[in-house]
Amino acid sequence: MLWDTYTDCPVVVESRLFSVPLVHDTPNDETITVGAKLVSRQYTPHSKDKYILYLQGGPGYSCPFPSKTSPVFLEPMLRRGYTVVLLDQRGTGLSEPVDVGSLVDGKTPEEQLEYILNFRADSIVRDAEMIRKILLGETQWLLLGQSYGSFCSLCYLSMFPKSIKCVFLTGGVPPLLSTRAEVVNCQVENMRKRCQAYFSKYKEDRERLDGIHRYLDNNKVYLPNGSQLTVARFKGVGSCFGVTGGALYIHSLITTMALEIQTLNSLTYNTKNSIMQCFGSETNILYFLFQQVIYMNGPGHLERFSQEMFDELPFTIEMFHSEMLTDPVFQPLAPLVDELYRFSNWKQIWDLESLKSIRWDDIPVVAASFVGDIYVDFNLGQRLHSLFEFKDLITNIHCHDGVKADPNIVEQLFHLLENGNYM
């Protein structure tokens, strides 16, 4: 169903809604809505042979409403005559939302778990496959995955290889051959290096940060959503290190906070709101719930990581700690979190045997990896060369969000696709 359309010359955007089963494996009458924004160039005929599905990072983040200048990765694809499908993965954006109220109200923790398990990568992939058939019939399309979207892209590749013409991975190669403990240890080490680089550039911020920690230890500070800002929570602003310009943003926060504490002995609403925007968990419960779940591929239990392993770090990323469940924002989810850690019958999400059969001549895979990426470790991603064939675009001049900051990333991916090498 066409829901909305607009033009920001020369870009044309159609927002469409699709009805899909809530449960794909054993479908019943219950359906949910999944939305997508179809982006094309004005006066460019739609060709079924030129469709690209963009899978957003996350989990649990929606795609932006595009314009003629944003996101920057669109222009190289539109110029080549492609229609880009920006999928709002189930539970996000124009898709039927998942929020605390709808998830918790009137449901037992067991029922909440049964419902939320339908929002993993395998369901996202099956949604996408249904949409492909509606839009294109049996025609293949290209995939462009960013971060968790790359994870979903490889799941798609392992589940429906005959539906895919080629795959672009950005924001790193998902560490499908690594344990969650390895992933966390690499994140800690990468964050340690990033913090050292940060304080070598902004030398005065180390002392300012110590003062902010003392203030938060001695005062109860609440964010606009009612969540208490503790030292452990504030460390989470380190997630900004994965974004272009993030280090400067953190510096601006620390500088402003230190001055407000010195002159006002408090933090302004504007500053507290800016801090809150750094935390994906505050506005995205799928991200909060699924940070570790995305790595579960078959039976087993989620690992609990000690908060102590993060204590030495001035900043952290993607860290869940039990203290968060005492906040009013997350407290209603505490019984569900307990269920997630008790649950062991996880489904297989990706098929390694299927991925082993992927060959460049059949389905080219090109991956943009960023050395020093604090979210997706470069070395863990390189292990996948032992699993299937893909070409690398490797750089150390971008953060995790490189494809959103520099259109040349997509240009280079197409160059590797079309030429097979850099020459």
Side-chain angles (χ1 to χ4, degrees), residues 123-142:
S123 297
I124 294 169
V125 166
R126 287 188 167 93
D127 292 343
E129 180 63 3
M130 285 188 66
I131 291 171
R132 182 193 66 85
K133 290 180 178 179
I134 292 170
L135 295 175
L136 307 180
E138 294 307 312
T139 303
Q140 296 174 315
W141 58 7
L142 288 72

Side-chain angles (χ1 to χ4, degrees), residues 53-73:
L53 172 68
Y54 174 72
L55 292 165
Q56 173 71 293
Y61 284 92
S62 62
C63 290
F65 280 88
S67 69
K68 61 184 177 183
T69 58
S70 179
V72 299
F73 60 76

Side-chain angles (χ1 to χ4, degrees), residues 31 44 51 70 83 111 116 159 162 191 208 231 253 262-263 272 323 332 340 349 352 359-360 362 404 410 415-416 419:
T31 61
T44 301
Y51 268 68
S70 179
T83 297
E111 291 170 333
I116 207 70
M159 294 169 67
K162 293 182 179 180
M191 180 57 83
R208 289 169 178 161
V231 170
L253 275 180
Q262 179 179 317
T263 58
K272 289 186 283 189
E323 166 190 299
L340 283 171
I349 299 297
L352 296 180
R359 298 291 179 267
W360 176 267
D362 300 321
K404 298 179 180 180
V410 172
H415 183 84
L416 275 170
N419 298 282

